[in-house]
Amino acid sequence: MQPPPANHRPEDLGEPLGPRTDLESELLELWSERVEVRPLGVTDHFFALGGDSLQAVRLVAAAQRRYGVRIDRRRLFASFTVTTMAELLGEVFGRTHDPA
């Protein structure tokens, strides 16, 4: 039996949860440009997907450029998921992260 491809989703992550808001959908797309694991879910932890600290900094920088805001990296890295990133961006934008 051959090993799964390098970009195959680890089984211990379970089924991926899809985006619940437009912001989560946009961020999931941004993550998919930088994370090779497929499929991705909004509650997948960046480091559990094989991401490293340099990739994390680059991803945060890309999100900050895209939205023209600063994200609190300490809070984000405590639980680095698409959902957490969307919540932090929602705080910066002055609205709550409220799933549709």
Side-chain angles (χ1 to χ4, degrees), residues 13-63:
L13 291 179
E15 290 295 316
L17 180 63
R20 299 165 291 173
T21 66
D22 290 341
L23 182 55
E24 283 184 351
S25 183
E26 291 172 10
L27 289 172
L28 197 59
E29 182 178 315
L30 187 67
W31 278 48
S32 70
E33 295 169 4
R34 288 159 179 82
V35 176
E36 295 181 10
V37 173
R38 297 291 182 272
L40 289 175
V42 296
T43 58
D44 294 339
H45 195 281
F46 181 79
F47 297 109
L49 296 169
D52 61 37
S53 58
L54 181 57
Q55 291 171 318
V57 168
R58 288 178 177 161
L59 178 57
V60 172

Side-chain angles (χ1 to χ4, degrees), residues 3-15:
N7 63 350
H8 181 73
R9 180 181 180 80
E11 289 182 19
D12 61 342
L13 291 179
E15 290 295 316

